[in-house]
mmCIF file of all heavy atoms in Angstrom:
data_model
loop_
_atom_site.group_PDB
_atom_site.id
_atom_site.type_symbol
_atom_site.label_atom_id
_atom_site.label_comp_id
_atom_site.label_asym_id
_atom_site.label_seq_id
_atom_site.Cartn_x
_atom_site.Cartn_y
_atom_site.Cartn_z
ATOM 1 N N LEU A 1 8.432 25.918 25.997
ATOM 2 C CA LEU A 1 7.195 25.948 26.769
ATOM 3 C C LEU A 1 7.231 24.945 27.916
ATOM 4 O O LEU A 1 7.880 23.901 27.819
ATOM 5 C CB LEU A 1 6.006 25.631 25.864
ATOM 6 C CG LEU A 1 5.675 26.666 24.786
ATOM 7 C CD1 LEU A 1 4.699 26.077 23.771
ATOM 8 C CD2 LEU A 1 5.102 27.930 25.406
ATOM 9 N N LEU A 2 6.537 25.253 28.971
ATOM 10 C CA LEU A 2 6.343 24.291 30.049
ATOM 11 C C LEU A 2 5.584 23.077 29.509
ATOM 12 O O LEU A 2 4.878 23.176 28.499
ATOM 13 C CB LEU A 2 5.556 24.924 31.194
ATOM 14 C CG LEU A 2 6.272 26.010 32.011
ATOM 15 C CD1 LEU A 2 5.291 26.667 32.973
ATOM 16 C CD2 LEU A 2 7.452 25.426 32.770
ATOM 17 N N PRO A 3 5.695 21.917 30.156
ATOM 18 C CA PRO A 3 5.009 20.718 29.657
ATOM 19 C C PRO A 3 3.502 20.918 29.541
ATOM 20 O O PRO A 3 2.877 21.581 30.373
ATOM 21 C CB PRO A 3 5.334 19.660 30.722
ATOM 22 C CG PRO A 3 6.560 20.140 31.396
ATOM 23 C CD PRO A 3 6.493 21.632 31.366
ATOM 24 N N GLY A 4 2.944 20.343 28.478
ATOM 25 C CA GLY A 4 1.501 20.329 28.317
ATOM 26 C C GLY A 4 0.899 21.564 27.691
ATOM 27 O O GLY A 4 -0.327 21.726 27.718
ATOM 28 N N ILE A 5 1.725 22.423 27.097
ATOM 29 C CA ILE A 5 1.233 23.657 26.489
ATOM 30 C C ILE A 5 1.555 23.651 24.998
ATOM 31 O O ILE A 5 2.678 23.329 24.597
ATOM 32 C CB ILE A 5 1.848 24.903 27.163
ATOM 33 C CG1 ILE A 5 1.548 24.898 28.666
ATOM 34 C CG2 ILE A 5 1.332 26.184 26.516
ATOM 35 C CD1 ILE A 5 2.256 25.996 29.438
ATOM 36 N N GLU A 6 0.564 24.002 24.178
ATOM 37 C CA GLU A 6 0.735 24.059 22.727
ATOM 38 C C GLU A 6 0.998 25.500 22.288
ATOM 39 O O GLU A 6 0.560 26.457 22.937
ATOM 40 C CB GLU A 6 -0.534 23.552 22.026
ATOM 41 C CG GLU A 6 -0.932 22.142 22.403
ATOM 42 C CD GLU A 6 0.093 21.118 21.973
ATOM 43 O OE1 GLU A 6 0.509 21.152 20.800
ATOM 44 O OE2 GLU A 6 0.474 20.289 22.818
ATOM 45 N N LYS A 7 1.688 25.649 21.162
ATOM 46 C CA LYS A 7 1.950 26.989 20.630
ATOM 47 C C LYS A 7 0.696 27.635 20.068
ATOM 48 O O LYS A 7 0.498 28.835 20.182
ATOM 49 C CB LYS A 7 3.025 26.916 19.535
ATOM 50 C CG LYS A 7 4.417 26.568 20.038
ATOM 51 C CD LYS A 7 5.416 26.556 18.888
ATOM 52 C CE LYS A 7 6.815 26.210 19.381
ATOM 53 N NZ LYS A 7 7.802 26.171 18.266
ATOM 54 N N ASP A 8 -0.160 26.813 19.441
ATOM 55 C CA ASP A 8 -1.289 27.351 18.682
ATOM 56 C C ASP A 8 -2.484 26.424 18.838
ATOM 57 O O ASP A 8 -2.344 25.211 18.689
ATOM 58 C CB ASP A 8 -0.882 27.440 17.206
ATOM 59 C CG ASP A 8 -1.908 28.156 16.343
ATOM 60 O OD1 ASP A 8 -3.086 28.192 16.729
ATOM 61 O OD2 ASP A 8 -1.537 28.657 15.271
ATOM 62 N N PRO A 9 -3.675 26.958 19.126
ATOM 63 C CA PRO A 9 -4.835 26.081 19.301
ATOM 64 C C PRO A 9 -5.419 25.556 18.000
ATOM 65 O O PRO A 9 -6.225 24.620 18.016
ATOM 66 C CB PRO A 9 -5.846 26.986 20.003
ATOM 67 C CG PRO A 9 -5.502 28.361 19.529
ATOM 68 C CD PRO A 9 -3.992 28.369 19.386
ATOM 69 N N GLY A 10 -5.057 26.149 16.868
ATOM 70 C CA GLY A 10 -5.657 25.759 15.600
ATOM 71 C C GLY A 10 -6.698 26.768 15.152
ATOM 72 O O GLY A 10 -7.044 27.712 15.868
ATOM 73 N N VAL A 11 -7.221 26.556 13.967
ATOM 74 C CA VAL A 11 -8.185 27.477 13.375
ATOM 75 C C VAL A 11 -9.549 27.304 14.030
ATOM 76 O O VAL A 11 -10.033 26.177 14.206
ATOM 77 C CB VAL A 11 -8.287 27.241 11.852
ATOM 78 C CG1 VAL A 11 -9.334 28.162 11.226
ATOM 79 C CG2 VAL A 11 -6.929 27.452 11.191
ATOM 80 N N GLU A 12 -10.173 28.406 14.401
ATOM 81 C CA GLU A 12 -11.469 28.357 15.065
ATOM 82 C C GLU A 12 -12.485 27.567 14.248
ATOM 83 O O GLU A 12 -12.609 27.739 13.030
ATOM 84 C CB GLU A 12 -11.982 29.792 15.296
ATOM 85 C CG GLU A 12 -13.198 29.894 16.178
ATOM 86 C CD GLU A 12 -12.886 29.757 17.673
ATOM 87 O OE1 GLU A 12 -11.817 29.206 18.016
ATOM 88 O OE2 GLU A 12 -13.708 30.194 18.484
ATOM 89 N N PHE A 13 -13.189 26.657 14.913
ATOM 90 C CA PHE A 13 -14.245 25.798 14.366
ATOM 91 C C PHE A 13 -13.722 24.676 13.464
ATOM 92 O O PHE A 13 -14.520 23.925 12.911
ATOM 93 C CB PHE A 13 -15.302 26.604 13.600
ATOM 94 C CG PHE A 13 -15.897 27.738 14.384
ATOM 95 C CD1 PHE A 13 -16.153 28.964 13.776
ATOM 96 C CD2 PHE A 13 -16.202 27.602 15.731
ATOM 97 C CE1 PHE A 13 -16.697 30.013 14.500
ATOM 98 C CE2 PHE A 13 -16.749 28.643 16.457
ATOM 99 C CZ PHE A 13 -16.989 29.858 15.835
ATOM 100 N N SER A 14 -12.403 24.564 13.315
ATOM 101 C CA SER A 14 -11.852 23.484 12.491
ATOM 102 C C SER A 14 -11.790 22.191 13.293
ATOM 103 O O SER A 14 -11.786 22.200 14.526
ATOM 104 C CB SER A 14 -10.455 23.847 11.995
ATOM 105 O OG SER A 14 -9.545 23.951 13.083
ATOM 106 N N GLY A 15 -11.740 21.060 12.585
ATOM 107 C CA GLY A 15 -11.641 19.771 13.240
ATOM 108 C C GLY A 15 -10.211 19.419 13.580
ATOM 109 O O GLY A 15 -9.256 20.031 13.093
ATOM 110 N N ASP A 16 -10.044 18.419 14.446
ATOM 111 C CA ASP A 16 -8.716 17.929 14.800
ATOM 112 C C ASP A 16 -8.844 16.508 15.334
ATOM 113 O O ASP A 16 -9.938 15.952 15.392
ATOM 114 C CB ASP A 16 -8.031 18.845 15.819
ATOM 115 C CG ASP A 16 -8.862 19.103 17.075
ATOM 116 O OD1 ASP A 16 -9.627 18.204 17.483
ATOM 117 O OD2 ASP A 16 -8.745 20.190 17.653
ATOM 118 N N ARG A 17 -7.736 15.918 15.728
ATOM 119 C CA ARG A 17 -7.733 14.551 16.270
ATOM 120 C C ARG A 17 -7.595 14.568 17.788
ATOM 121 O O ARG A 17 -7.189 13.579 18.391
ATOM 122 C CB ARG A 17 -6.582 13.754 15.647
ATOM 123 C CG ARG A 17 -6.635 13.632 14.133
ATOM 124 C CD ARG A 17 -7.716 12.694 13.657
ATOM 125 N NE ARG A 17 -7.407 11.294 13.935
ATOM 126 C CZ ARG A 17 -8.225 10.288 13.638
ATOM 127 N NH1 ARG A 17 -9.402 10.539 13.076
ATOM 128 N NH2 ARG A 17 -7.886 9.045 13.914
ATOM 129 N N LYS A 18 -7.960 15.655 18.414
ATOM 130 C CA LYS A 18 -7.793 15.827 19.853
ATOM 131 C C LYS A 18 -9.098 15.495 20.580
ATOM 132 O O LYS A 18 -10.180 15.787 20.086
ATOM 133 C CB LYS A 18 -7.368 17.268 20.150
ATOM 134 C CG LYS A 18 -6.073 17.665 19.438
ATOM 135 C CD LYS A 18 -5.791 19.149 19.548
ATOM 136 C CE LYS A 18 -4.543 19.536 18.758
ATOM 137 N NZ LYS A 18 -4.287 20.991 18.786
ATOM 138 N N VAL A 19 -8.970 14.890 21.768
ATOM 139 C CA VAL A 19 -10.145 14.485 22.536
ATOM 140 C C VAL A 19 -10.166 15.197 23.884
ATOM 141 O O VAL A 19 -9.133 15.616 24.409
ATOM 142 C CB VAL A 19 -10.195 12.957 22.745
ATOM 143 C CG1 VAL A 19 -10.385 12.247 21.419
ATOM 144 C CG2 VAL A 19 -8.942 12.443 23.434
ATOM 145 N N GLN A 20 -11.372 15.324 24.438
ATOM 146 C CA GLN A 20 -11.502 16.032 25.707
ATOM 147 C C GLN A 20 -10.792 15.288 26.828
ATOM 148 O O GLN A 20 -10.624 14.067 26.791
ATOM 149 C CB GLN A 20 -12.963 16.278 26.043
ATOM 150 C CG GLN A 20 -13.838 15.054 26.181
ATOM 151 C CD GLN A 20 -15.234 15.408 26.643
ATOM 152 O OE1 GLN A 20 -15.418 16.072 27.681
ATOM 153 N NE2 GLN A 20 -16.239 15.001 25.891
ATOM 154 N N ALA A 21 -10.369 16.042 27.830
ATOM 155 C CA ALA A 21 -9.463 15.547 28.862
ATOM 156 C C ALA A 21 -10.075 14.431 29.697
ATOM 157 O O ALA A 21 -11.278 14.383 29.946
ATOM 158 C CB ALA A 21 -9.040 16.697 29.769
ATOM 159 N N TYR A 22 -9.207 13.522 30.147
ATOM 160 C CA TYR A 22 -9.567 12.434 31.054
ATOM 161 C C TYR A 22 -9.095 12.781 32.472
ATOM 162 O O TYR A 22 -8.187 13.590 32.684
ATOM 163 C CB TYR A 22 -8.875 11.125 30.652
ATOM 164 C CG TYR A 22 -9.153 10.598 29.263
ATOM 165 C CD1 TYR A 22 -8.341 9.584 28.736
ATOM 166 C CD2 TYR A 22 -10.189 11.075 28.469
ATOM 167 C CE1 TYR A 22 -8.562 9.058 27.465
ATOM 168 C CE2 TYR A 22 -10.415 10.553 27.201
ATOM 169 C CZ TYR A 22 -9.594 9.549 26.699
ATOM 170 O OH TYR A 22 -9.808 9.041 25.447
ATOM 171 N N ASN A 23 -9.693 12.115 33.439
ATOM 172 C CA ASN A 23 -9.200 12.180 34.814
ATOM 173 C C ASN A 23 -9.692 10.956 35.573
ATOM 174 O O ASN A 23 -10.277 10.042 34.992
ATOM 175 C CB ASN A 23 -9.637 13.479 35.513
ATOM 176 C CG ASN A 23 -11.127 13.543 35.835
ATOM 177 O OD1 ASN A 23 -11.937 12.783 35.292
ATOM 178 N ND2 ASN A 23 -11.509 14.456 36.706
ATOM 179 N N PHE A 24 -9.446 10.923 36.860
ATOM 180 C CA PHE A 24 -9.988 9.897 37.748
ATOM 181 C C PHE A 24 -10.951 10.578 38.718
ATOM 182 O O PHE A 24 -10.629 11.642 39.267
ATOM 183 C CB PHE A 24 -8.884 9.197 38.540
ATOM 184 C CG PHE A 24 -7.976 8.342 37.704
ATOM 185 C CD1 PHE A 24 -6.840 8.884 37.122
ATOM 186 C CD2 PHE A 24 -8.241 6.998 37.493
ATOM 187 C CE1 PHE A 24 -5.992 8.106 36.349
ATOM 188 C CE2 PHE A 24 -7.405 6.209 36.722
ATOM 189 C CZ PHE A 24 -6.276 6.767 36.150
ATOM 190 N N ARG A 25 -12.113 9.977 38.926
ATOM 191 C CA ARG A 25 -13.079 10.528 39.870
ATOM 192 C C ARG A 25 -12.768 9.952 41.251
ATOM 193 O O ARG A 25 -13.156 8.829 41.584
ATOM 194 C CB ARG A 25 -14.505 10.188 39.421
ATOM 195 C CG ARG A 25 -14.873 10.762 38.052
ATOM 196 C CD ARG A 25 -15.052 12.260 38.066
ATOM 197 N NE ARG A 25 -16.301 12.635 38.666
ATOM 198 C CZ ARG A 25 -17.400 12.976 37.977
ATOM 199 N NH1 ARG A 25 -17.383 13.005 36.664
ATOM 200 N NH2 ARG A 25 -18.509 13.315 38.608
ATOM 201 N N MET A 26 -12.041 10.735 42.036
ATOM 202 C CA MET A 26 -11.539 10.244 43.319
ATOM 203 C C MET A 26 -12.640 10.166 44.372
ATOM 204 O O MET A 26 -13.477 11.057 44.482
ATOM 205 C CB MET A 26 -10.432 11.167 43.825
ATOM 206 C CG MET A 26 -9.224 11.245 42.927
ATOM 207 S SD MET A 26 -7.936 12.346 43.582
ATOM 208 C CE MET A 26 -8.785 13.922 43.580
ATOM 209 N N CYS A 27 -12.607 9.108 45.143
ATOM 210 C CA CYS A 27 -13.494 8.966 46.291
ATOM 211 C C CYS A 27 -12.718 9.402 47.527
ATOM 212 O O CYS A 27 -11.859 8.671 48.028
ATOM 213 C CB CYS A 27 -13.982 7.529 46.444
ATOM 214 S SG CYS A 27 -15.183 7.340 47.784
ATOM 215 N N THR A 28 -13.006 10.617 47.994
ATOM 216 C CA THR A 28 -12.298 11.165 49.146
ATOM 217 C C THR A 28 -13.254 11.256 50.335
ATOM 218 O O THR A 28 -14.465 11.087 50.206
ATOM 219 C CB THR A 28 -11.736 12.561 48.838
ATOM 220 O OG1 THR A 28 -12.826 13.475 48.619
ATOM 221 C CG2 THR A 28 -10.850 12.516 47.603
ATOM 222 N N THR A 29 -12.698 11.562 51.484
ATOM 223 C CA THR A 29 -13.503 11.702 52.703
ATOM 224 C C THR A 29 -12.873 12.722 53.632
ATOM 225 O O THR A 29 -11.660 12.980 53.566
ATOM 226 C CB THR A 29 -13.642 10.355 53.429
ATOM 227 O OG1 THR A 29 -14.476 10.523 54.582
ATOM 228 C CG2 THR A 29 -12.292 9.810 53.875
ATOM 229 N N ASP A 30 -13.696 13.294 54.509
ATOM 230 C CA ASP A 30 -13.186 14.163 55.567
ATOM 231 C C ASP A 30 -13.206 13.470 56.922
ATOM 232 O O ASP A 30 -12.919 14.088 57.947
ATOM 233 C CB ASP A 30 -13.973 15.476 55.624
ATOM 234 C CG ASP A 30 -15.426 15.284 56.044
ATOM 235 O OD1 ASP A 30 -15.888 14.123 56.151
ATOM 236 O OD2 ASP A 30 -16.125 16.295 56.255
ATOM 237 N N ASP A 31 -13.557 12.192 56.933
ATOM 238 C CA ASP A 31 -13.586 11.409 58.167
ATOM 239 C C ASP A 31 -12.155 11.031 58.539
ATOM 240 O O ASP A 31 -11.509 10.246 57.836
ATOM 241 C CB ASP A 31 -14.445 10.166 57.971
ATOM 242 C CG ASP A 31 -14.470 9.278 59.198
ATOM 243 O OD1 ASP A 31 -14.344 9.812 60.324
ATOM 244 O OD2 ASP A 31 -14.598 8.051 59.043
ATOM 245 N N ALA A 32 -11.648 11.591 59.630
ATOM 246 C CA ALA A 32 -10.240 11.431 59.997
ATOM 247 C C ALA A 32 -9.832 9.967 60.111
ATOM 248 O O ALA A 32 -8.717 9.589 59.735
ATOM 249 C CB ALA A 32 -9.952 12.165 61.304
ATOM 250 N N ALA A 33 -10.733 9.128 60.602
ATOM 251 C CA ALA A 33 -10.391 7.714 60.793
ATOM 252 C C ALA A 33 -10.319 6.961 59.468
ATOM 253 O O ALA A 33 -9.718 5.881 59.403
ATOM 254 C CB ALA A 33 -11.420 7.060 61.715
ATOM 255 N N ASN A 34 -10.907 7.502 58.432
ATOM 256 C CA ASN A 34 -10.983 6.798 57.150
ATOM 257 C C ASN A 34 -10.215 7.514 56.043
ATOM 258 O O ASN A 34 -10.274 7.112 54.892
ATOM 259 C CB ASN A 34 -12.461 6.654 56.741
ATOM 260 C CG ASN A 34 -12.679 5.640 55.636
ATOM 261 O OD1 ASN A 34 -11.952 4.648 55.534
ATOM 262 N ND2 ASN A 34 -13.660 5.887 54.796
ATOM 263 N N LYS A 35 -9.481 8.557 56.398
ATOM 264 C CA LYS A 35 -8.860 9.430 55.399
ATOM 265 C C LYS A 35 -7.355 9.219 55.308
ATOM 266 O O LYS A 35 -6.665 9.156 56.329
ATOM 267 C CB LYS A 35 -9.140 10.896 55.758
ATOM 268 C CG LYS A 35 -8.590 11.907 54.764
ATOM 269 C CD LYS A 35 -8.840 13.341 55.227
ATOM 270 C CE LYS A 35 -7.897 13.717 56.358
ATOM 271 N NZ LYS A 35 -7.926 15.166 56.666
ATOM 272 N N ARG A 36 -6.849 9.126 54.075
ATOM 273 C CA ARG A 36 -5.408 9.094 53.835
ATOM 274 C C ARG A 36 -4.902 10.497 53.520
ATOM 275 O O ARG A 36 -5.600 11.299 52.896
ATOM 276 C CB ARG A 36 -5.077 8.183 52.654
ATOM 277 C CG ARG A 36 -5.307 6.722 52.913
ATOM 278 C CD ARG A 36 -4.918 5.878 51.729
ATOM 279 N NE ARG A 36 -3.533 6.061 51.306
ATOM 280 C CZ ARG A 36 -2.905 5.281 50.437
ATOM 281 N NH1 ARG A 36 -3.538 4.250 49.887
ATOM 282 N NH2 ARG A 36 -1.660 5.494 50.099
ATOM 283 N N ASP A 37 -3.684 10.766 53.897
ATOM 284 C CA ASP A 37 -3.064 12.030 53.520
ATOM 285 C C ASP A 37 -2.616 11.937 52.063
ATOM 286 O O ASP A 37 -2.410 10.841 51.524
ATOM 287 C CB ASP A 37 -1.867 12.319 54.434
ATOM 288 C CG ASP A 37 -1.327 13.734 54.251
ATOM 289 O OD1 ASP A 37 -2.040 14.558 53.632
ATOM 290 O OD2 ASP A 37 -0.205 14.009 54.701
ATOM 291 N N TRP A 38 -2.470 13.096 51.422
ATOM 292 C CA TRP A 38 -1.945 13.122 50.054
ATOM 293 C C TRP A 38 -0.450 12.874 50.085
ATOM 294 O O TRP A 38 0.307 13.625 50.720
ATOM 295 C CB TRP A 38 -2.261 14.457 49.385
ATOM 296 C CG TRP A 38 -3.733 14.728 49.285
ATOM 297 C CD1 TRP A 38 -4.440 15.685 49.957
ATOM 298 C CD2 TRP A 38 -4.678 14.008 48.492
ATOM 299 N NE1 TRP A 38 -5.772 15.613 49.632
ATOM 300 C CE2 TRP A 38 -5.949 14.601 48.728
ATOM 301 C CE3 TRP A 38 -4.580 12.940 47.611
ATOM 302 C CZ2 TRP A 38 -7.113 14.146 48.107
ATOM 303 C CZ3 TRP A 38 -5.742 12.486 46.989
ATOM 304 C CH2 TRP A 38 -6.981 13.080 47.234
ATOM 305 N N GLU A 39 -0.024 11.821 49.414
ATOM 306 C CA GLU A 39 1.371 11.406 49.441
ATOM 307 C C GLU A 39 2.088 11.848 48.169
ATOM 308 O O GLU A 39 1.514 11.840 47.084
ATOM 309 C CB GLU A 39 1.451 9.882 49.583
ATOM 310 C CG GLU A 39 0.790 9.370 50.852
ATOM 311 C CD GLU A 39 0.542 7.870 50.826
ATOM 312 O OE1 GLU A 39 1.084 7.203 49.921
ATOM 313 O OE2 GLU A 39 -0.207 7.370 51.678
ATOM 314 N N LYS A 40 3.343 12.204 48.296
ATOM 315 C CA LYS A 40 4.146 12.624 47.151
ATOM 316 C C LYS A 40 4.553 11.392 46.349
ATOM 317 O O LYS A 40 5.196 10.486 46.874
ATOM 318 C CB LYS A 40 5.391 13.367 47.629
ATOM 319 C CG LYS A 40 6.219 13.984 46.510
ATOM 320 C CD LYS A 40 7.382 14.788 47.084
ATOM 321 C CE LYS A 40 8.170 15.478 45.988
ATOM 322 N NZ LYS A 40 9.294 16.280 46.539
ATOM 323 N N PRO A 41 4.175 11.323 45.071
ATOM 324 C CA PRO A 41 4.549 10.147 44.272
ATOM 325 C C PRO A 41 6.061 9.981 44.163
ATOM 326 O O PRO A 41 6.812 10.969 44.145
ATOM 327 C CB PRO A 41 3.935 10.454 42.897
ATOM 328 C CG PRO A 41 2.851 11.446 43.178
ATOM 329 C CD PRO A 41 3.340 12.264 44.326
ATOM 330 N N ALA A 42 6.492 8.753 44.080
ATOM 331 C CA ALA A 42 7.931 8.463 44.019
ATOM 332 C C ALA A 42 8.578 9.083 42.781
ATOM 333 O O ALA A 42 9.757 9.479 42.814
ATOM 334 C CB ALA A 42 8.158 6.950 44.025
ATOM 335 N N ASN A 43 7.827 9.181 41.686
ATOM 336 C CA ASN A 43 8.381 9.728 40.439
ATOM 337 C C ASN A 43 7.911 11.159 40.192
ATOM 338 O O ASN A 43 7.791 11.586 39.032
ATOM 339 C CB ASN A 43 7.998 8.840 39.261
ATOM 340 C CG ASN A 43 6.490 8.710 39.103
ATOM 341 O OD1 ASN A 43 5.742 9.082 40.011
ATOM 342 N ND2 ASN A 43 6.054 8.201 37.971
ATOM 343 N N TYR A 44 7.644 11.900 41.246
ATOM 344 C CA TYR A 44 7.168 13.281 41.152
ATOM 345 C C TYR A 44 8.117 14.124 40.314
ATOM 346 O O TYR A 44 9.319 14.176 40.562
ATOM 347 C CB TYR A 44 7.037 13.866 42.553
ATOM 348 C CG TYR A 44 6.506 15.284 42.625
ATOM 349 C CD1 TYR A 44 5.139 15.528 42.598
ATOM 350 C CD2 TYR A 44 7.369 16.369 42.740
ATOM 351 C CE1 TYR A 44 4.641 16.821 42.691
ATOM 352 C CE2 TYR A 44 6.885 17.666 42.832
ATOM 353 C CZ TYR A 44 5.518 17.890 42.792
ATOM 354 O OH TYR A 44 5.026 19.174 42.886
#
């Protein structure tokens, strides 16, 4: 499987030790003078 994919979700309505996904709430802008371009991470 590609990274981050499970074979089986588990039994419907059963419990597990899994938690809802995290992310970062990015502060972006469309103001050209204040905006950075999206850069490719070094360890992409």
Side-chain angles (χ1 to χ4, degrees):
L1 293 167
L2 291 172
I5 303 173
E6 302 296 311
K7 291 182 180 179
D8 188 336
V11 178
E12 190 78 339
F13 307 140
S14 65
D16 54 32
R17 300 287 289 178
K18 302 170 184 177
V19 294
Q20 60 175 306
Y22 301 166
N23 71 343
F24 292 89
R25 299 289 284 260
M26 298 180 297
C27 184
T28 65
T29 182
D30 66 352
D31 178 30
N34 195 32
K35 182 183 75 169
R36 291 182 57 169
D37 190 14
W38 299 111
E39 300 165 12
K40 186 176 183 179
N43 59 347
Y44 182 84

